[in-house]
């Protein structure tokens, strides 16, 4: 058996990731959200008042991209930004009532999607899968010098 008798792990993972991401995006869209909005609301909700730099890092995007998302979300009344009284160069981000309501809708959609994704897979296999994914992430990172 050669390594290419079955699809390479990376190719299979990339294809699966794309399908899962598209399905998750569709689940978010059904309730009026997007993945960037969900990640932003989740990140803000998980930290009482995250500043924009920390928020960008938690979401995994550049500051300019985050600013674009935050501007749109602030215009929609989903969050507020204010200057940190301790450091005027830092903006603190907080959810509004509308942001809290959208967060809850998206949270329920994310939980339902996760349940759908896990259907028929025993917990012990999911735990093993999580370990394999963590190993793949580690193996994909550049070597430390």
């Amino acid at each position: 058996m050669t390594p290419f008798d079955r699809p390479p792990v990376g190719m299979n993972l990339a294809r699966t990731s794309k399908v899962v991401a598209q399905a998750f995006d569709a689940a978010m869209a059904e309730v009026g959200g997007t993945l960037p909005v969900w990640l932003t609301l989740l990140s803000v909700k998980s930290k009482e008042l995250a500043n924009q730099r920390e928020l960008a890092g938690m979401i995994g995007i550049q500051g300019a991209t985050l600013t674009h998302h935050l501007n749109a979300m602030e215009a929609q009344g989903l969050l507020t930004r204010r200057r940190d009284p301790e450091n005027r160069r830092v903006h603190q981000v907080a959810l509004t009532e509308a942001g809290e309501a959208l967060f809850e809708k998206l949270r329920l959609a994310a939980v339902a999607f996760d349940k759908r994704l896990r259907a028929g897979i025993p917990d012990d296999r999911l735990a093993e899968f999580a370990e394999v994914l963590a190993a793949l992430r580690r193996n994909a990172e550049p070597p430390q010098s």
Side-chain angles (χ1 to χ4, degrees):
M1 179 182 279
T2 69
F4 294 106
D5 286 342
R6 59 179 177 248
V9 172
M11 183 185 307
N12 197 1
L13 182 62
R15 287 180 180 165
T16 301
S17 174
K18 184 175 182 178
V19 169
V20 171
Q22 288 172 339
F24 187 73
D25 286 342
M28 292 289 101
E30 284 179 19
V31 294
T34 64
L35 180 59
V37 168
W38 167 240
L39 291 175
T40 302
L41 293 175
L42 180 62
S43 295
V44 172
K45 182 82 171 165
S46 67
K47 282 188 92 169
E48 196 166 303
L49 285 175
N51 69 52
Q52 286 186 214
R53 182 175 300 133
E54 291 172 352
L55 190 54
M58 289 181 353
I59 295 172
I61 60 176
Q62 299 294 320
T65 303
L66 177 64
T67 298
H68 170 76
H69 289 305
L70 292 177
N71 287 343
M73 293 173 71
E74 190 171 32
Q76 295 167 3
L78 300 175
L79 55 83
T80 60
R81 290 182 286 182
R82 66 179 177 84
R83 298 253 183 222
D84 185 334
E86 306 281 318
N87 182 350
R88 302 281 300 152
R89 294 177 300 184
V90 173
H91 282 92
Q92 293 179 328
V93 183
L95 300 184
T96 62
E97 282 187 39
E100 292 279 356
L102 182 57
F103 170 83
E104 188 57 24
K105 284 173 57 176
L106 295 177
R107 186 189 69 76
L108 292 173
V111 167
F113 182 80
D114 189 64
K115 184 176 179 181
R116 175 180 139 204
L117 204 56
R118 294 168 175 259
I121 305 171
D123 287 344
D124 61 331
R125 298 228 24 230
L126 288 169
E128 182 180 358
F129 180 62
E131 291 173 10
V132 170
L133 285 176
L136 290 171
R137 268 192 309 277
R138 284 190 305 274
N139 292 345
E141 291 174 355
Q144 300 294 322
S145 11

